Amino acid sequence: MKERDRRWALARKLMDDEGLDGLLVTGQANRGAPNVAPDVYLSNDRAGGWLVFPREGEPILLSWSGLHLICQAVESKRGMTPWIRPDHHWLGRDAAMVKKAFEANGLMSARVGIIGLEPAGPRQESFLSHSAWESVSAELPNVKFVHVWRRLARMMLVKSQEEIEVIRHCANAGEKMSEAFVAAARPGMTEAGVYAQAMAAAFIGGANSAALIIQSGPDNPAWGFPDWLVRPVRSRTLDRGDLVQSELFPTYGLMETQQQVCVSLGKMHPVHQKAAEVAREAYDVGLEKMRVGTTFGEVDDAMTDVVKRAGGWFVTPQIHSLNPISVLSGLSTFGMENFSDAGTYAPIPPKAARNKEIVLQAGMTFAMEPNCHFGDRRINIGGTVLVTQSGPVELNAIANHVVEV
């Protein structure tokens, strides 16, 4: 319960700082094991609930299904101490139940922070549909709602010792996934076969992974889920001379780590070799800069400058925060006019870094993912790094270099 008390104290500090009487925290529909879900962060229960959190008293969790109440009861009998008392765990996630919870806490004419209406990074699972928001607003006409997600997200960036141990376990699961990915990536294997082996390693290790990125080929600049997960086509078969690259997303206990695994089937093409050297240099420069007291922008600028000086381009950022993901995010889509088919699309401008002014603190976690394109040849490496008072700690190893097999 120590971690519950710490997180609830953060929520109440947010309320005090912003002059709020409570919070309404909305979770995303039916998701089994999210990596960043503000409702779960405060409830330690299934995702998809709406949490009414008063400054005084205990929060009320509104769950969308009775299944969640039954799971809580069963798990309590097995020794789990629920963060939300059973009599504060209500069935019904709609405007009428929100009003009932607000009435119970004297919030009908209050100033309340809301989480679920602001833009968020990828997989930050909190949103309220327009129709739901209209219904909530109609039921609570005298409540003054204030957007507070960005402030809470920044507070969440610094992890407790308990959270750090969870992240270490998650990073170890990512290392097992990386091992499985490298072992499976061979000529004659399909992308789907490699994918399956890596995903299985996460589950065997007791972690979760909703998906992973895999792209392959001798000159494939693409990044993102493979076409066979998007439309009904066959999975590509790997061949000698391919680069097989992946981004892994293991999660454990609400925490996420990432690993950018890059496997060369045979000796790398000279252009790939050059890109690999640039990516590794960017990684080393970023690691050297990653110190308590340094701004995020200083780290990102140092990494992107390496790629720019080499004449490379890149789609994804060289670095971004984890837990929550991409609250801090580096420059991306830089130099995309250099990709061979760029002329067939509208101009693609660079996407500016986000929150460059934030100062690094011990307990923050980052995905180091230096990537460099030359023409249509791409290299992406890197794993998860923890900021400590004595310097950065690399939580992964396999993904930090290109693996030749």
Side-chain angles (χ1 to χ4, degrees):
M1 300 297 278
K2 181 179 178 182
E3 182 61 24
R4 183 204 70 171
D5 294 344
R6 187 191 74 86
R7 293 184 187 181
W8 286 14
L10 283 179
R12 291 199 166 97
K13 182 180 187 311
L14 172 64
M15 289 185 248
D16 289 342
D17 290 348
E18 300 293 330
L20 304 173
D21 302 302
L23 299 174
L24 174 58
V25 184
T26 63
Q28 185 174 354
N30 176 18
R31 299 299 298 271
N35 59 332
V36 177
D39 58 312
V40 181
Y41 183 77
L42 295 172
S43 72
N44 199 38
D45 216 295
R46 265 66 180 178
W50 291 358
L51 197 70
V52 177
F53 198 130
R55 185 165 57 181
E56 305 294 337
E58 295 192 23
I60 294 172
L61 176 61
L62 307 177
S63 283
W64 65 272
S65 171
L67 297 174
H68 295 181
L69 281 67
I70 295 172
C71 285
Q72 185 194 60
V74 170
E75 290 156 7
S76 296
K77 291 177 182 177
R78 293 175 176 174
M80 183 274 295
T81 302
W83 288 13
I84 305 297
R85 290 171 14 201
D87 61 326
H88 279 224
H89 193 170
W90 298 357
L91 176 61
R93 190 194 62 186
D94 56 30
M97 292 301 291
V98 171
K99 180 180 180 180
K100 183 178 178 181
F102 271 52
E103 288 174 335
N105 285 285
L107 297 174
M108 293 301 290
S109 297
R111 178 180 165 88
V112 175
I114 185 162
I115 295 173
L117 294 179
E118 297 171 85
R123 302 193 312 286
Q124 289 180 11
E125 300 186 358
S126 177
F127 74 82
L128 195 60
S129 71
H130 185 266
S131 60
W133 173 238
E134 284 187 327
S135 297
V136 169
S137 299
E139 292 282 3
L140 304 170
N142 297 320
V143 174
K144 170 63 176 178
F145 284 104
V146 180
H147 300 293
V148 294
W149 163 242
R150 288 185 175 91
R151 177 71 192 281
L152 178 63
R154 292 186 181 195
M155 297 171 76
M156 291 167 63
L157 284 168
V158 178
K159 316 318 289 181
S160 68
Q161 189 56 47
E162 183 175 332
E163 288 175 320
I164 288 170
E165 291 307 310
V166 172
I167 289 166
R168 288 182 179 277
H169 180 95
C170 184
N172 185 61
E175 203 69 4
K176 297 298 184 184
M177 292 177 73
S178 300
E179 290 176 2
F181 188 95
V182 171
R186 294 294 187 275
M189 177 67 87
T190 63
E191 287 182 350
V194 179
Y195 187 106
Q197 293 298 313
M199 293 289 279
F203 304 140
I204 291 169
N208 187 52
S209 182
L212 60 83
I213 288 172
I214 183 170
Q215 292 286 338
S216 68
D219 53 358
N220 179 0
W223 203 235
F225 298 123
D227 57 352
W228 50 269
L229 285 182
V230 177
R231 55 186 67 90
V233 298
R234 291 187 182 279
S235 171
R236 183 177 182 276
T237 299
L238 306 182
D239 200 0
R240 180 66 57 181
D242 281 352
L243 261 287
V244 190
Q245 303 192 69
S246 181
E247 185 166 13
L248 310 179
F249 308 108
T251 60
Y252 178 71
L254 196 65
M255 300 296 147
E256 178 187 23
T257 62
Q258 293 184 6
Q259 298 77 33
Q260 319 289 323
V261 185
C262 183
V263 181
S264 177
L265 302 187
K267 187 173 178 58
M268 276 189 284
H269 187 280
V271 174
H272 278 137
Q273 180 66 52
K274 180 183 177 184
E277 292 168 0
V278 172
R280 181 63 210 194
E281 181 184 352
Y283 181 93
D284 290 336
V285 166
L287 207 62
E288 180 61 32
K289 280 281 187 181
M290 191 175 286
R291 296 290 187 274
V292 170
T294 301
T295 65
F296 173 72
E298 289 176 289
V299 181
D300 181 55
D301 288 346
M303 296 181 72
T304 57
D305 284 349
V306 172
V307 182
K308 291 176 181 178
R309 284 198 307 268
W313 62 279
F314 51 92
V315 179
T316 57
Q318 306 293 315
I319 181 173
H320 64 74
S321 65
L322 292 168
N323 308 306
I325 185 173
S326 294
V327 172
L328 313 180
S329 187
L331 176 70
S332 59
T333 61
F334 172 81
M336 282 191 63
E337 65 274 10
N338 294 303
F339 124 75
S340 61
D341 294 312
T344 62
Y345 295 89
I348 307 169
K351 186 176 181 181
R354 186 182 305 126
N355 293 324
K356 294 181 69 172
E357 77 284 358
I358 298 296
V359 175
L360 270 55
Q361 300 179 54
M364 290 182 173
T365 52
F366 290 91
M368 295 277 281
E369 46 187 49
N371 62 103
C372 178
H373 295 68
F374 290 118
D376 282 355
R377 295 184 185 270
R378 180 182 197 269
I379 292 288
N380 193 180
I381 60 171
T384 297
V385 176
L386 168 69
V387 179
T388 74
Q389 288 291 351
S390 56
V393 175
E394 299 170 273
L395 301 183
N396 295 109
I398 293 171
N400 296 340
H401 301 270
V402 178
V403 179
E404 289 186 335
V405 297

